[in-house]
Amino acid sequence: MNRAFCASAVLLAYAVSAAAVAAAEAAAAARLDLGPGYAKGCTPPNLQSWPVQPPRVPPLSPSDKPNFVVIQVDDMGWDDIGLHHPRGPDGVTSAGAQTPNLDKLIKSGMSFSNFYVAPLCAMGRAQLLTGRDYPRTGNLFNGYGYDAINLGEATLGNVMQAAGYTTAHYGKWHNSRSLGYEPWWRGFNTSWLPSDTYLQLDNLMRHNGRYVQTKGLVEQIMADKMLGFMKQREEDKQPFMVYYAPYAIHATPTPKRFANYTAIRSNETAKASIYFQPEPYKSKILQQQPPPGQYNAGVWAFLMYLDDVLGKIFDYVDSSPVLRRNTYIMLTSDNGLSLSYVEDPAERLQRMPSGMIGDKNRFIPEFGAAATEGSLRNHLAVWGPGVPAGGVSDTLLNLADILPTIAELASAEGTTHERWSGHSFANLLQPNASATPRQTNRMQFTLVSAGKPEQCPPITQLMSKLLPTLGPDREVLKPQPLLAYTDEDGNNVMKHCIVGRYGEYKWYGRTDKVYRLANGSYIELPCNEIPDQQGRKSIAALFNTAAKEWWDSVLAEPHSFSKPVYLLGLDGAALTDTDPSNVEASGIVQLRRGSMAVDSIVNYTLVNDFGCWKIRPVQTATYQIIVMYHVQLPGLRALFQLDIIKHGARRRRTFSKLQFITDERDGAHFGSVRMEASKVDSELCLKLVDIVPVNNNDTAANGTAAGTAASGTGPAAGPDTAAARRGGSRRCSSSDGGWLFRLVAMRLVPTDIPDKRAPVRRPGSVEDDAGVEVASGTAAAAAAAAAVMSGVPVGMPADVIGPLGTSPEPARYEHFKPSDDMVEFERRVRQEAIAEARADFQVSGSSNNAAPAAAGRPGSAENMWQQLRHKYNWMEGQMTFRSLYRPCIYNGPPGCMETCG
């Protein structure tokens, strides 16, 4: 939006004393003996500068198509780059983070220092991949079912494919784990997606949807695959676009020995173990003077390792006469850095010499707000043909600008997509470039739905307790009071959660505070705050007007606040080539308000609680329905009713079944249902009908009704049984958590899709799928039935590696040559993995509660499946070794839930 402030409102003399803040920071620096160069109060750090030089690579001719390598690091902040730290005792190297390869990339290309990311992982990826403000895309958070890009959105992969590019994805995705939403369905010709977000060793990856056992460390495996892909494209002279999303430097999941978030925060050893801390990198970091704290040392070691991996990729491109001439490298992050476990001011300043306030997930009570610069301001580096070496621009940009820029450089602007929020900055990638008036007068806004609930109570309540109201068409009703900018009395609703930037100014919707961030000081302290006598109210009023216009435009988007539609039978091959559909509990679109709760699962606590999910059969088939859950009902059993309701001119119930659930298991089979292919959505609804003693002889559990008319917005009422009449609103909760029934997912497995006797290729696939065995419909159904009996999913690869099969020797890579430090790191990781496996899998019936002993005889399929379940946290009852599902249950406070990205 082009909106210029009046000069009288922005060109103001402004100075407020920050002596107290500066003194506190000086004391912290002195305690760690940090030396000069770190931020003090509102005075920015004193950092090294470097000269701007002509481009290292000449510009491309207009007829040439450039290649692109887009790297989005996980949780890397502005301060996680060596050049952004003061110099150490030698006056040359960084006193903090050690990133020589990133430093070289920056000095050889352009650096954008006023670059904004998103509050959390999923949103930052959605914004980069679509070129649109993330709330417009259906992505709203890291979980609650809002971590998906709507199927109507065109991704970076789609746009580049349409422009004639071969596209590839490696690493993290975090935009839905559901069938049809994965990268191989969203515009990427080839994709390597690890099975577990942070499992670093010998990962069983999904390659274009099919499980492939890999050997080695995950970042090195992905770099190896990437180098092979680029080499092949170089040989066939095909332009390419690579999207690489490392898992580094994100924190690892909660260590097993610490049961919950509170224990981690109170234990120094656990703090140090939160980050994957590679040796010998950490030992090198600890030799720095002054030595960092344990937490920072772990982070910087992981960062140093990632920099080592990235250096191999940079060197490959730079050493290739072809790729060096025509390849752009763009590197940024998804969100701000994470310092959730560090409260000590000295250690925080050592990690963040910029002095920026806050970090990812941090709510600052003193501000009464979140989305501080430490969580949103980040960095973008661009290297490539015609890009000046060492150039620095402070033009205000954000993640949504990357896709339009790539499209302009690739002459792909004419492709089909929703209207981009971002704007191309290709004009800035030239020597002596100046920002356009649109770039200079830009106003940008961010919806802050991250971290603690206090950051945005309306969004937290909406996602976890209420869900948006649906209209008669069963789509989110817009507008509605729950989504309003302010209520009828002018009180904040969504305004509470919006922050804005314009030029040097930053505005908080919650408080209407305004800060002036000038002269390299991105520090939101009183010394940078605009007081009333200097025009705060006038500036805030301009922001407020523009923010409301922005929010109204978000609500007008067709995909905002949408959740996934779960596709069934996608791709139309036989069972072994068709993924089951995992209808995630968090994808719920309607629930009974007041008694139910949503996070990564859905809690049922009262009789008559119900939830509904959107589904769409793509292929006519019979689908086995498996309900995955956790439940505690000592001496009781719960009666559930599952309905399928078809949309259209007249809503009608096409399937209904009652079934009892009694014991604590991973899943229960609700039988099979025949569904016809349709372009119209249906809804799958699950209702808690009653709770009865185990010895109750009520036979309603076997009742089934099909084709009965249904009306209203909830599930069908079901048979008028005595059990249903008794239910009322009686609550039955467990003693340890207040929940009765935790729904994790519903898995629909196709069993009789016609056999095509040929592997199905995705449009544009560049992979060799020859030799895949495809079972007939009859054989598939028989295999599925056998899987139900044995518990081992059909089609488990023969070469899978369980924890007990870990080799002590580092892997060999085809294209990637590890450094000596990498080899030593992998050797140590393997030693630790072997020791942990031996401790976890002692003997059957072991009292070790961390992991049950593997079932079955050594070497048996049952034994291997139990090992894999332990390694990847997969649930029982999966039937087929495709699209395996694992729960995402977060034991900490609500807010992040990013361990299932």
Side-chain angles (χ1 to χ4, degrees), residues 83-84 88 98 148 165 190 252 269 275 280 408 413 430 433-434 436 472 495 503 586 709 781 783 794 883:
L83 287 176
H84 296 167
Q98 302 296 318
Y165 278 71
T190 187
T252 57
T269 303
Y275 274 83
E408 180 177 345
E413 301 100 316
Q430 303 172 16
S434 298
T436 64
K495 180 189 174 185
S586 59
V794 174
S883 240

Side-chain angles (χ1 to χ4, degrees), residues 119-239:
L120 282 179
C121 308
M123 299 98 92
R125 296 162 200 282
Q127 192 147 318
L128 185 152
L129 287 166
T130 63
R132 287 160 49 79
D133 300 325
Y134 72 83
R136 302 178 188 273
T137 70
N139 193 301
L140 195 63
F141 196 67
N142 265 7
Y144 296 109
Y146 285 106
D147 54 345
I149 297 173
N150 188 283
L151 291 176
E153 298 280 337
T155 68
L156 172 63
N158 296 130
V159 170
M160 298 307 287
Q161 275 187 343
Y165 278 71
T166 302
T167 58
H169 155 266
Y170 302 91
K172 189 168 180 176
W173 181 244
H174 207 164
N175 268 288
S176 184
R177 300 183 287 163
S178 305
L179 183 62
Y181 289 78
E182 303 106 323
W184 45 90
W185 295 108
R186 303 307 301 267
F188 290 94
N189 297 99
T190 187
S191 170
W192 287 87
L193 180 66
S195 291
D196 184 285
T197 310
Y198 308 107
L199 186 62
Q200 298 284 334
L201 186 64
D202 295 345
N203 195 279
L204 186 59
M205 294 191 185
R206 297 182 71 192
H207 176 38
N208 292 350
R210 191 165 287 116
Y211 285 99
V212 176
Q213 180 65 64
T214 64
K215 297 179 181 180
L217 292 174
V218 69
E219 303 299 349
Q220 294 166 211
I221 294 168
M222 290 188 292
D224 182 56
K225 303 295 185 185
M226 190 188 322
L227 295 182
F229 173 85
M230 290 194 289
K231 181 179 179 181
Q232 184 61 46
R233 303 289 78 76
E234 186 178 1
E235 292 175 357
D236 61 24
K237 299 180 181 180
Q238 174 70 27

